[in-house]
Amino acid sequence: MTNRDLMLGQNHNLAIGHDQQLVMGHDHNMDLSQNHALELGPAHEHHMDLGQSHDHELGLENAHDQDHGLEMGQTHDQEGEHGHSYGHEHELSMDHKPEHDDRELPLPEHNHELVLSENNDLTVSENQEFDENTALTVVQNTEMGIESADHMDIEQSQLMLSTPVIQARVVAVNPTYELSVGQEFPDVKSCRRALRDAAIALHFEMQTIKSDKTRFTAKCASEGCPWRIHAAKLPGVPTFTIRTIHENHTCGGIAHLGHQQASVQWVANSVEQRLKENPNCKPKEILEEIHRVHGITLSYKQAWRGKERIMAAMRGSFEEGYRLLPQYCEQLKRTNPGSIASVYGSPTENCFQRLFISFQACIYGFLNACRPLLGLDRTYLKSKYLGTLLLATGFDGDGALFPLAFGVVDEENDDNWMWFLSELHNLLEINTENMPRLTILSNRQKGIVDGVEANFPTAFHGFCMRHLSDSFRKEFNNTLLVNLLWEAANALTVIEFEAKVLEIEEISQDAAYWIRRIPPRLWATAYFEGQRFGHLTANIVESLNTWILEASGLPIIQMMECIRRQLMTWFNERRETSMQWTSILVPSAERRVAEALEHARTYQVLRANEAEFEVISHEGTNIVDIRNRCCLCRGWQLYGLPCAHAVAALLSCRQNVHRFTESCFTIATYRKTYSQTIHPIPDKSLWKELSEGDPNATNVLEVVINPPKSLRPPGRPRKKRVRAEDRGRVKRVVHCSRCNQTGHFRTTCAAPI
């Protein structure tokens, strides 16, 4: 049987109730200290009465029917509600200890002693043992009571033995924060950290008197409190030990909610594990956790700085991200051959200016399988050094976004857009013999317009309708007008477009004038010369909003890695999903063709020759040419899929409708889009080792990119909040009573008298 310790805290008494048998073997002695009695009745009933001022209820239950007796605990001491530990004992004796001690006496794990403190000490000595026939049995419903009187009521509480005994709570101070003379620490930092943690846990503040490599002395910060501690370094080793601790605290602890020792580093150490599990934990949640666990109220700034310190240790600092950019670009090109990754710094101070990245898998998929349609957009970075992320995104056959290239610039301006579009043109020119005639959608700001004209002179450059409708809504704030604007943009014919504009004019002539100022060839489907396949918006940032915004606040390398991982996951998931498709066209195209088939069944078809058809429907008459793949409704030409009129004509001559769709809508082409793989990039700790022997990598190590000058201003950024009911409301013109001018009040008037 395993040896265990049984320890009862001060003034706690033990009583064994009715029907509890204690059978002693040969040569066993039991010594009772003064004022304690052991009664052996005819039925071996033993009563042990120990005075106590508190009632305790303990449950003991027979777990084993062994002759060796009663088992209490398994492998470690179990403490009861008031610090009692019960374990296996082979030996039993009682001794009296007259001294009072307010603390629990720690016992070795296998000291074979059963101790009752405060005038009731029960000790098992080494030379008193139970033999094999000794049995200590507690029958079910055995009761143990502890009372304030010297007499004990055996029916007040029930004692049931179980293995192991589970502790209910521990009232003793956490031993981690107990300080004692002779206590050792690995080094001075560990010593300081332990003293700081003890001060926070015990709610007193500490003032450092001396602190160097060989000694550390501190006192209680409360005036008049005699508490003082001194620790020193042991000779020949870095270990520190506590030499002296003077007096106990008389200050009663701190009276305010904060704590002097609760530094930013302490906050970082306190929440490190939580941030590793959930990096998105907010400073407010950190404040709540520290207050709940430690009872300390800190400022928001301390929580934010503590989080930033841990995040910098986990993901690297913002400055390190810029410094390692040249090496990151080399590793990207090494692991993803054919990819483009280049970084540029200012010529004088080599501060970061521009970064351009495009993966070979994206280049291949766009040029060989995607529609010749690109959307340009940007999102502002929320990191320490700000900047702007530029995006060029295509669309796959199923209509999903297909990011082609990314650019990071120190600020959004005309020069940086010109540079980004120049890099985009170069990558397309290098990777294809025949440059595709692109259709480009953007907000058509000056820098983008100039860049498209300079680098893609044959491209069709149209407005992204999201930007256009947002501007229109800000100007007129009328939902009906905005909906009519979208209907006008989607109109396939000039007649339909003009009808919608007239409807707008009937509601608001100003709105109609606003629309007519913008050339319809730049946004209206009826006039647009390029092929947008039904995509009126680039809508890039909104579509990527779920993860691109999170990435925009990370250090630059971590941000690009977040983007790369997302692309890598997309490629793999879409590749695997497409392998399960069994039809000819991608799902979205199949649905459009199915809808066209449903409508075509009601149309009347008249054939003019082998290629030309007249299709009559309730909407009117349309002419279809299956050789040139066009219809008078313009649906076939604009969307790349046969419209309902074309489907009716094809069915009439028994043609396969799927053969008359654009190749980008076929599953075979879709699989080709994601046929290449975006490969992972090793951890930065391995870059130097992996680059050994590469002359290009050696040259890159000598290049150092410094952070940009565009440092984020301190404080919370100001936001201009506009209530929904205030949108479109005419602003009140204020008048100055001092100078009789408008635009300001008397209190802010700067005009001379």
Side-chain angles (χ1 to χ4, degrees):
M1 185 182 299
T2 308
N3 296 330
R4 301 290 177 189
D5 300 334
L6 176 61
M7 181 172 66
L8 295 180
Q10 61 183 18
N11 296 327
H12 291 186
N13 304 298
L14 178 66
I16 303 178
H18 294 295
D19 300 329
Q20 297 181 9
Q21 298 179 355
L22 178 63
V23 182
M24 306 296 295
H26 296 290
D27 300 327
H28 294 286
N29 302 317
M30 178 173 286
D31 300 328
L32 281 177
S33 61
Q34 59 187 11
N35 298 327
H36 298 284
L38 178 65
E39 298 176 7
L40 298 175
H44 299 285
E45 296 178 355
H46 303 280
H47 302 274
M48 182 162 55
D49 299 334
L50 303 176
Q52 175 64 24
S53 59
H54 301 285
D55 294 339
H56 299 269
E57 182 178 68
L58 299 172
L60 298 176
E61 172 180 298
N62 249 346
H64 303 286
D65 295 328
Q66 299 180 358
D67 290 337
H68 291 291
L70 177 66
E71 292 190 0
M72 309 171 93
Q74 285 294 330
T75 61
H76 58 280
D77 297 343
Q78 303 289 339
E79 296 188 4
E81 184 175 356
H82 288 267
H84 304 304
S85 300
Y86 301 90
H88 296 280
E89 296 297 338
H90 287 222
E91 306 161 7
L92 182 64
S93 72
M94 291 187 177
D95 191 12
H96 174 66
K97 182 177 179 180
E99 296 82 13
H100 291 269
D101 191 356
D102 292 335
R103 296 175 299 175
E104 290 183 359
L105 299 177
L107 297 177
E109 187 176 355
H110 301 284
N111 62 356
H112 306 283
E113 293 184 359
L114 178 63
V115 180
L116 283 81
S117 65
E118 189 64 29
N119 299 327
N120 300 288
D121 297 322
L122 182 61
T123 308
V124 179
S125 59
E126 290 291 342
N127 59 356
Q128 295 174 340
E129 301 178 352
F130 291 145
D131 63 11
E132 295 180 358
N133 297 322
T134 301
L136 177 59
T137 306
V138 180
V139 296
Q140 290 184 353
N141 297 328
T142 300
E143 298 170 348
M144 176 179 288
I146 300 177
E147 302 184 64
S148 60
D150 290 338
H151 183 68
M152 151 185 201
D153 186 358
I154 60 175
E155 293 183 355
Q156 279 189 341
S157 56
Q158 295 183 349
L159 181 64
M160 295 171 50
L161 267 184
S162 62
T163 305
V165 179
I166 305 299
Q167 66 181 21
R169 67 179 173 87
V170 179
V171 296
V173 177
N174 191 330
T176 305
Y177 304 123
E178 291 183 350
L179 302 175
S180 60
V181 175
Q183 189 173 349
E184 295 184 352
F185 307 96
D187 50 40
V188 65
K189 290 184 178 180
S190 301
C191 178
R192 293 171 186 158
R193 190 181 306 117
L195 295 179
R196 179 197 62 194
D197 294 343
I200 293 174
L202 301 177
H203 301 290
F204 72 91
E205 290 183 336
M206 194 168 55
Q207 180 180 344
T208 302
I209 300 175
K210 295 178 182 178
S211 179
D212 53 35
K213 295 182 179 180
T214 59
R215 58 186 174 174
F216 180 83
T217 305
K219 68 175 184 177
C220 180
S222 297
E223 186 176 355
C225 183
W227 185 88
R228 184 184 178 97
I229 191 168
H230 175 69
K233 179 179 175 296
L234 295 178
V237 291
T239 305
F240 262 64
T241 182
I242 296 178
R243 295 290 178 85
T244 58
I245 301 179
H246 296 286
E247 304 294 340
N248 293 324
H249 287 277
T250 61
C251 57
I254 56 177
H256 55 87
L257 297 177
H259 202 288
Q260 183 178 333
Q261 270 68 51
S263 61
V264 172
Q265 186 58 47
W266 178 82
V267 173
N269 295 338
S270 301
V271 299
E272 180 177 4
Q273 186 60 37
R274 179 170 181 178
L275 288 175
K276 287 181 178 178
E277 297 172 357
N278 179 23
N280 296 323
C281 180
K282 297 180 179 180
K284 184 178 179 181
E285 297 172 356
I286 294 174
L287 288 177
E288 293 172 353
E289 180 176 346
I290 289 177
H291 185 269
R292 184 179 67 253
V293 176
H294 302 283
I296 298 175
T297 301
L298 301 177
S299 66
Y300 183 91
K301 185 177 182 180
Q302 278 181 290
W304 182 85
R305 291 175 62 193
K307 176 184 176 180
E308 286 300 305
R309 190 167 294 187
I310 290 298
M311 297 307 294
M314 291 169 53
R315 69 194 179 193
S317 65
F318 289 92
E319 293 76 12
E320 183 189 36
Y322 289 105
R323 180 173 56 83
L324 295 178
L325 265 181
Q327 300 178 48
Y328 175 75
C329 291
E330 284 300 314
Q331 292 299 320
L332 189 150
K333 290 186 287 187
R334 186 185 64 82
T335 55
N336 293 268
S339 300
I340 298 175
S342 52
V343 59
Y344 303 92
S346 60
T348 54
E349 301 178 4
N350 214 26
C351 292
F352 172 82
Q353 281 189 323
R354 297 161 178 165
L355 171 70
F356 185 87
I357 287 180
S358 182
F359 294 94
Q360 189 274 336
C362 297
I363 299 172
Y364 178 87
F366 178 78
L367 290 175
N368 293 279
C370 283
R371 316 170 193 186
L373 176 65
L374 271 180
L376 301 178
D377 207 346
R378 56 96 182 100
T379 183
Y380 296 115
L381 303 184
K382 299 180 179 179
S383 62
K384 181 178 179 180
Y385 291 95
L386 298 177
T388 304
L389 175 66
L390 310 180
L391 306 100
T393 305
F395 301 87
D396 64 21
D398 203 30
L401 289 176
F402 187 84
L404 173 61
F406 303 90
V408 181
V409 294
D410 53 354
E411 61 177 334
E412 184 188 16
N413 53 39
D414 295 347
D415 291 339
N416 281 334
W417 271 115
M418 180 68 74
W419 162 82
F420 180 70
L421 291 168
S422 175
E423 293 284 336
L424 191 62
H425 174 268
N426 292 339
L427 82 84
L428 295 176
E429 190 176 46
I430 292 173
N431 289 276
T432 183
E433 295 181 359
N434 299 316
M435 175 72 70
R437 191 175 188 184
L438 298 175
T439 296
I440 297 176
L441 302 177
S442 74
N443 62 359
R444 285 191 62 89
Q445 67 184 64
K446 184 178 182 302
I448 299 179
V449 171
D450 294 343
V452 170
E453 290 179 355
N455 295 283
F456 302 97
T458 62
F460 302 103
H461 187 192
F463 268 112
C464 168
M465 274 301 297
R466 177 178 60 85
H467 294 95
L468 197 64
S469 65
D470 287 347
S471 299
F472 185 76
R473 185 187 297 274
K474 289 178 182 178
E475 189 72 24
F476 299 100
N477 191 32
N478 187 313
T479 304
L480 178 59
L481 290 177
V482 173
N483 292 337
L484 288 173
L485 175 68
W486 277 95
E487 292 177 9
N490 282 292
L492 299 182
T493 63
V494 174
I495 296 175
E496 293 175 3
F497 172 81
E498 292 298 336
K500 293 300 177 182
V501 174
L502 286 175
E503 287 186 43
I504 294 174
E505 190 172 11
E506 290 176 359
I507 299 174
S508 171
Q509 292 186 354
D510 292 338
Y513 174 74
W514 190 94
I515 291 174
R516 294 188 188 280
R517 286 191 303 111
I518 304 173
R521 61 180 178 82
L522 299 178
W523 60 278
T525 302
Y527 289 93
F528 192 76
E529 297 177 355
Q531 194 172 19
R532 294 186 291 188
F533 299 95
H535 290 279
L536 298 185
T537 66
N539 211 27
I540 300 172
V541 175
E542 282 73 10
S543 300
L544 307 182
N545 192 44
T546 53
W547 57 274
I548 200 72
L549 290 182
E550 177 185 345
S552 65
L554 299 174
I556 188 165
I557 289 181
Q558 295 297 322
M559 178 183 70
M560 299 312 302
E561 277 294 272
C562 182
I563 293 174
R564 181 196 59 77
R565 293 188 184 105
Q566 184 65 51
L567 292 181
M568 181 176 68
T569 304
W570 275 357
F571 268 63
N572 182 64
E573 290 177 349
R574 293 174 182 178
R575 186 188 308 118
E576 291 182 349
T577 301
S578 67
M579 299 306 295
Q580 301 174 3
W581 295 341
T582 56
S583 59
I584 298 175
L585 304 179
V586 296
S588 61
E590 282 287 352
R591 288 192 294 271
R592 289 186 66 94
V593 171
E595 292 174 3
L597 282 167
E598 192 67 27
H599 290 91
R601 300 184 191 280
T602 62
Y603 295 170
Q604 179 184 359
V605 180
L606 303 176
R607 188 168 188 172
N609 54 39
E610 67 277 2
E612 193 173 4
F613 297 82
E614 180 181 353
V615 180
I616 304 172
S617 67
H618 64 280
E619 299 172 352
T621 301
N622 285 277
I623 300 174
V624 176
D625 187 344
I626 62 174
R627 180 184 293 116
N628 296 316
R629 297 189 177 186
C630 63
C631 176
L632 198 61
C633 74
R634 300 186 73 232
W636 196 355
Q637 303 93 294
L638 294 174
Y639 294 105
L641 293 169
C643 60
H645 313 110
V647 169
L650 291 170
L651 291 177
S652 68
C653 59
R654 299 184 179 181
Q655 293 289 333
N656 186 349
V657 176
H658 295 93
R659 291 181 55 246
F660 289 84
T661 60
E662 292 287 343
S663 61
C664 62
F665 294 108
T666 63
I667 290 179
T669 302
Y670 184 90
R671 290 171 180 168
K672 193 175 182 180
T673 308
Y674 298 101
S675 61
Q676 303 293 307
T677 301
I678 296 178
H679 301 283
I681 297 176
D683 186 75
K684 60 184 178 182
S685 60
L686 303 174
W687 291 354
K688 188 174 181 180
E689 178 183 348
L690 295 171
S691 301
E692 291 181 357
D694 188 351
N696 293 330
T698 305
N699 296 333
V700 165
L701 292 174
E702 301 175 358
V703 179
V704 177
I705 299 294
N706 297 316
K709 295 294 185 181
S710 55
L711 184 64
R712 187 173 188 169
R716 169 177 280 185
R718 298 187 63 181
K719 294 183 179 179
K720 184 179 180 181
R721 304 182 186 275
V722 180
R723 294 180 299 178
E725 58 269 23
D726 290 339
R727 289 177 180 170
R729 181 180 296 176
V730 178
K731 292 184 179 180
R732 181 172 63 92
V733 178
V734 296
H735 185 83
C736 177
S737 61
R738 181 170 175 266
C739 65
N740 294 324
Q741 300 296 321
T742 59
H744 64 275
F745 294 102
R746 179 185 181 88
T747 54
T748 58
C749 182
I753 298 299

